[in-house]
Amino acid sequence: LDKFITKRNLLPFRRVLDVIAKTAEALDYAHKTNVIHRDIKPANIMLIKDGNIKVTDFGIAKAISSSRTKTGVILGTPNYMSPEQIMGQKVDPRSDIFSLGVVFYQLITGELPFHGENLSALLYQITQIKHPSPRSYNQKLPAVCEQILDKALAKDPNKRFKSAGEMARVIKALGQRIDQIRIEKSSIK
């Protein structure tokens, strides 16, 4: 998805919903087999010509049952890391949900939700500062999209979606509602 994260080359919003929902479903499958990806980012999500996605690079994936990373060891790409990854805390599937939230934010705004002039400033933003509203970049986004992102990007893992499957269901429901509205509008014409 790397080529679709700049403002001049964003995918249509409805397509982004499909991509994020399918990615969340893939993560849910991995999580159910006790695997946490730990490096979800656009470069690790491939958009296939048939419309499906592939989540790649499970190089730092970790079995949920295995011991946690040693304190002070950071694995992952900083811009997409969850607060608990940054702080060297126990990582569970909700960490992947946070990272997918960052990807979702970037795909609909062309911007990362957290910025810093250096690594320390970036890590502080991720762990302490709420992301800007995605509607500040694109006012046409539905308000519910902002609610989904607020939940996915919650600093506290307990306030995030309970599972990637739950996130996928919510995003699919939004996509279906958009489709329904389009059908209703076209039948009025």
Side-chain angles (χ1 to χ4, degrees):
L1 296 177
D2 261 352
K3 65 182 181 180
F4 302 113
I5 57 174
T6 59
K7 286 182 182 172
R8 67 182 182 284
N9 204 29
L10 296 177
L11 291 168
F13 178 70
R14 183 63 186 86
R15 181 75 179 109
V16 170
L17 294 178
D18 285 340
V19 167
I20 295 298
K22 287 177 182 178
T23 305
E25 288 173 334
L27 288 173
D28 194 52
Y29 178 83
H31 296 159
K32 286 178 178 172
T33 62
N34 294 323
V35 174
I36 304 168
H37 190 284
R38 297 171 22 136
D39 197 22
I40 293 298
K41 59 185 177 183
N44 288 341
I45 303 168
M46 293 177 54
L47 190 54
I48 309 302
K49 287 181 182 169
D50 68 5
N52 283 312
I53 60 97
K54 284 196 191 271
V55 179
T56 65
D57 196 5
F58 279 79
I60 65 169
K62 185 175 194 171
I64 292 171
S65 61
S66 68
S67 64
R68 66 183 192 168
T69 305
K70 292 178 192 167
T71 303
V73 175
I74 294 179
L75 296 174
T77 305
N79 287 309
Y80 302 92
M81 289 171 61
S82 67
E84 59 272 22
Q85 268 180 295
I86 289 168
M87 294 187 285
Q89 297 170 345
K90 185 170 173 40
V91 171
D92 67 24
R94 295 170 298 180
S95 184
D96 284 346
I97 291 169
F98 183 93
S99 300
L100 185 57
V102 174
V103 173
F104 185 22
Y105 189 101
Q106 196 174 19
L107 286 173
I108 61 173
T109 66
E111 297 283 341
L112 284 162
F114 307 104
H115 299 273
E117 292 182 19
N118 55 48
L119 183 59
S120 293
L122 172 64
L123 300 183
Y124 178 79
Q125 287 267 320
I126 293 168
T127 59
Q128 305 299 319
I129 306 295
K130 187 178 187 308
H131 57 279
S133 165
R135 298 177 86 200
S136 66
Y137 295 106
N138 181 352
Q139 292 181 352
K140 293 179 183 177
L141 292 172
V144 69
C145 185
E146 186 163 5
Q147 295 167 341
I148 292 168
L149 281 164
D150 286 349
K151 190 166 178 96
L153 295 174
K155 305 295 184 197
D156 179 353
N158 293 318
K159 293 183 178 174
R160 291 184 206 140
F161 291 98
K162 302 274 184 265
S163 69
E166 179 189 9
M167 183 177 178
R169 284 188 294 280
V170 169
I171 292 171
K172 285 172 102 174
L174 173 58
Q176 290 167 350
R177 182 67 185 129
I178 289 170
D179 293 345
Q180 185 180 19
I181 290 168
R182 285 181 180 163
I183 290 168
E184 290 169 4
K185 281 184 178 179
S186 68
S187 67
I188 294 172
K189 291 179 183 178

